[in-house]
């Protein structure tokens, strides 16, 4: 089919590489298909409240290396269950799905590119089921999406965490301290695992392997006895001790987003360890530094490839799909593959074995 006018939105948490996708979609839609490109602002909110603008080659020329998303994003703009606080501070939800569909139709778009993680892509699929020509483009620093080998944003986040570990190694060694780095990843340990391996961590704790504090203590003591009275621990925000749940906070944003906000396990472990060993323990929470800033070359290339292939898929009318990286190639996979399933680190994977083979303690 010939493409005349396409729309793109970015939803959920931002990550490095989003602008590379926006640029690639814009350029290939205009240069290859002579189509118009409409940028929807702030994720699905832009469709609900009709906020959008035209994207051009000139207007996107300087964004390849830029972090964030020029379109803005939100992780609380669910058109089917839009959450907001009323004037009395009560949380209310509203179904704006028909309004979203009507606004989409008014824009007269041949395709809607939905760039997002699990939640955003599932919303895209729901809109596809309601008749919208949607193509998904997977992103997340967590790398936890089914159907794709890697998501863009992930490698940049791992590099940020690796750099932080390099720095913690030298200060930790100088002071004979136990240095803990808490990284993101929601319910998965991909960032922690790859950052830990690349940053020479002595202990890596991931949600997929509930940890035994005794094993962590044993590792620290053995290192001390062996002449290295410092240790570096990387812990995924979703990691949990055997028999306990992951640590979450009860912020207002949690209620607006409808999902638990993780965080605090690093300081929890720091306190637990301090009570048991004669070494100083310090915790650094890396937080959103993993999401912001300049994307690595890998994420720029992946974003560009996904963006251009998504436009090709639209020209072929292959809606209800998601572009995905599989064994070095960009392929199409049905959007419904996601179905709310989180891709966790397999506990018997080569990566896990690699870590333990070189003496890294995984808390078991
Ligand atoms: O999904 C990406 C992510 O950065 C997670 O790793 C993290 O748990 C969450 O988003 C943080 O979300 P927010 O920016 O809403 O606090």
């Amino acid at each position: 089919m010939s493409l005349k006018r396409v729309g793109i939105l970015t939803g959920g948490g931002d990550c490095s590489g989003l602008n590379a996708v926006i640029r690639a979609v814009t350029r290939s839609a205009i240069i290859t298909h002579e189509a118009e490109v409409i940028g929807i602002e702030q994720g699905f909110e832009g469709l609900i409240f009709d906020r959008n603008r035209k994207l051009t080659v000139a207007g996107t020329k300087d964004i390849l290396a830029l972090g964030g998303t020029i379109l803005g994003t939100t992780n609380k703009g669910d058109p089917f269950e839009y959450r907001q606080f009323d004037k009395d501070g009560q949380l209310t939800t509203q179904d704006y799905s028909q309004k979203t569909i009507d606004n989409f139709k008014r824009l007269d778009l041949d395709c809607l590119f939905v760039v997002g993680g699990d939640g955003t892509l599932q919303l895209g699929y729901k809109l596809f089921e309601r008749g919208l020509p949607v193509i998904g483009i997977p992103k997340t620093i967590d790398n936890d999406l089914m159907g794709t080998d890697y998501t863009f944003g992930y490698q940049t986040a791992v590099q940020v965490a690796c750099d932080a570990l390099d720095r913690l190694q030298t200060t930790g060694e100088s002071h004979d301290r136990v240095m803990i780095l808490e990284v993101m990843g929601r319910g998965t340990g991909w960032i922690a695992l790859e950052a830990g391996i690349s940053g020479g961590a002595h202990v890596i704790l991931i949600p997929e392997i509930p940890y035994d504090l005794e094993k962590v203590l044993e590792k620290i003591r053995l290192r001390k006895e062996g002449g290295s009275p410092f240790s570096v621990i990387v812990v995924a925000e979703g990691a949990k001790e055997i028999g306990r749940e992951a640590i979450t906070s009860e912020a207002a944003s949690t209620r607006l987003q409808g999902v638990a906000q993780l965080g605090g396990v690093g300081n929890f472990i720091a306190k637990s360890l301090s009570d048991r060993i004669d070494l100083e323990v310090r915790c650094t929470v890396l937080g959103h530094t993993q999401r912001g800033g300049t994307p690595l070359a890998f994420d720029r290339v992946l974003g560009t490839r996904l963006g251009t292939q998504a436009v090709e898929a639209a020209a072929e009318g292959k809606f209800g799909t998601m572009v995905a990286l599989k064994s070095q190639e960009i392929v199409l996979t049905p959007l419904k593959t996601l179905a709310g399933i989180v891709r966790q680190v397999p506990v018997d994977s080569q990566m896990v074995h690699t870590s333990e083979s070189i003496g890294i303690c995984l808390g078991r």
Side-chain angles (χ1 to χ4, degrees):
M1 68 185 265
S2 85
L3 293 177
K4 287 193 207 64
R5 206 165 137 89
V6 298
I8 178 168
L9 65 81
T10 53
D14 73 331
C15 71
S16 296
L18 281 167
N19 286 324
V21 175
I22 296 168
R23 173 178 175 270
V25 164
T26 305
R27 291 181 71 90
S28 66
I30 294 172
I31 295 169
T32 310
H33 298 275
E34 294 175 23
E36 252 189 305
V37 184
I38 303 298
I40 317 278
E41 294 169 355
Q42 298 293 128
F44 289 110
E45 284 200 6
L47 274 183
I48 299 170
F49 303 115
D50 208 13
R51 291 195 299 260
N52 53 72
R53 63 179 191 265
K54 195 171 162 180
L55 298 178
T56 61
V57 170
T60 53
K61 74 178 165 54
D62 294 324
I63 65 171
L64 180 59
L66 195 65
T69 159
I70 59 161
L71 294 175
T73 186
T74 173
N75 30 21
K76 54 178 182 57
D78 180 345
F80 296 86
E81 214 179 309
Y82 189 82
R83 292 163 176 253
Q84 60 197 327
F85 290 113
D86 66 15
K87 57 180 184 339
D88 303 322
Q90 294 300 312
L91 186 69
T92 62
T93 57
Q94 186 121 13
D95 183 356
Y96 283 132
S97 55
Q98 194 51 50
K99 192 167 181 240
T100 303
I101 291 166
D102 293 344
N103 282 339
F104 176 86
K105 288 189 176 145
R106 251 194 301 278
L107 285 171
D108 195 23
L109 300 173
D110 300 320
C111 176
L112 176 65
F113 297 109
V114 172
V115 192
D118 186 38
T120 305
L121 292 174
Q122 281 192 65
L123 291 173
Y125 184 63
K126 275 170 95 170
L127 289 169
F128 167 71
E129 284 185 313
R130 295 272 297 267
L132 260 52
V134 170
I135 291 182
I137 304 180
K139 68 91 229 197
T140 167
I141 64 163
D142 304 337
N143 200 36
D144 62 351
L145 295 186
M146 296 300 288
T148 183
D149 291 346
Y150 279 109
T151 50
F152 67 86
Y154 169 66
Q155 293 292 349
T156 303
V158 169
Q159 190 62 53
V160 171
C162 172
D163 291 346
L165 285 170
D166 287 348
R167 291 167 194 280
L168 293 177
Q169 293 274 1
T170 57
T171 175
E173 185 161 17
S174 303
H175 284 267
D176 292 346
R177 284 173 171 162
V178 175
M179 306 303 284
I180 300 175
L181 180 70
E182 180 183 308
V183 298
M184 285 185 165
R186 228 180 256 288
T188 66
W190 296 105
I191 298 177
L193 196 55
E194 285 206 23
I197 294 171
S198 56
H202 309 109
V203 178
I204 303 174
L205 303 177
I206 60 175
E208 293 84 348
I209 303 176
Y211 67 88
D212 177 350
L213 196 70
E214 284 306 323
K215 299 286 180 196
V216 179
L217 281 162
E218 191 181 296
K219 176 75 182 174
I220 296 169
R221 286 195 189 112
L222 278 175
R223 285 184 45 76
K224 192 176 173 197
E225 283 161 25
S228 299
F230 84 102
S231 290
V232 172
I233 300 175
V234 55
V235 54
E237 61 181 359
K240 43 193 178 255
E241 197 171 358
I242 293 171
R244 286 180 186 261
E245 290 302 312
I247 300 174
T248 55
S249 79
E250 268 307 314
S253 56
T254 297
R255 281 181 288 143
L256 272 182
Q257 290 179 25
V259 289
Q261 206 170 304
L262 290 160
V265 65
N267 279 305
F268 174 77
I269 294 173
K271 167 88 179 63
S272 311
L273 290 176
S274 299
D275 292 343
R276 307 277 303 275
I277 45 170
D278 188 20
L279 284 172
E280 281 186 70
V281 187
R282 293 286 196 275
C283 172
T284 302
V285 180
L286 207 47
H288 292 82
T289 57
Q290 294 155 99
R291 294 231 305 248
T294 309
L296 288 185
F298 180 92
D299 287 332
R300 297 184 204 186
V301 174
L302 180 55
T304 302
R305 292 179 70 193
L306 291 171
T308 53
Q309 290 308 311
V311 172
E312 288 319 302
E316 290 166 18
K318 299 205 168 132
F319 304 117
T321 59
M322 167 180 101
V323 282
L325 181 69
K326 274 275 163 197
S327 311
Q328 315 272 9
E329 289 300 310
I330 306 295
V331 298
L332 288 182
T333 177
L335 253 182
K336 69 170 174 228
T337 316
L338 295 171
I341 308 166
V342 172
R343 190 171 69 100
Q344 289 202 301
V345 176
V347 294
D348 55 355
S349 60
Q350 210 173 55
M351 192 92 86
V352 166
H353 286 304
T354 299
S355 311
E356 289 182 323
S357 307
I358 59 166
I360 298 174
C361 166
L362 296 188
R364 65 178 178 181

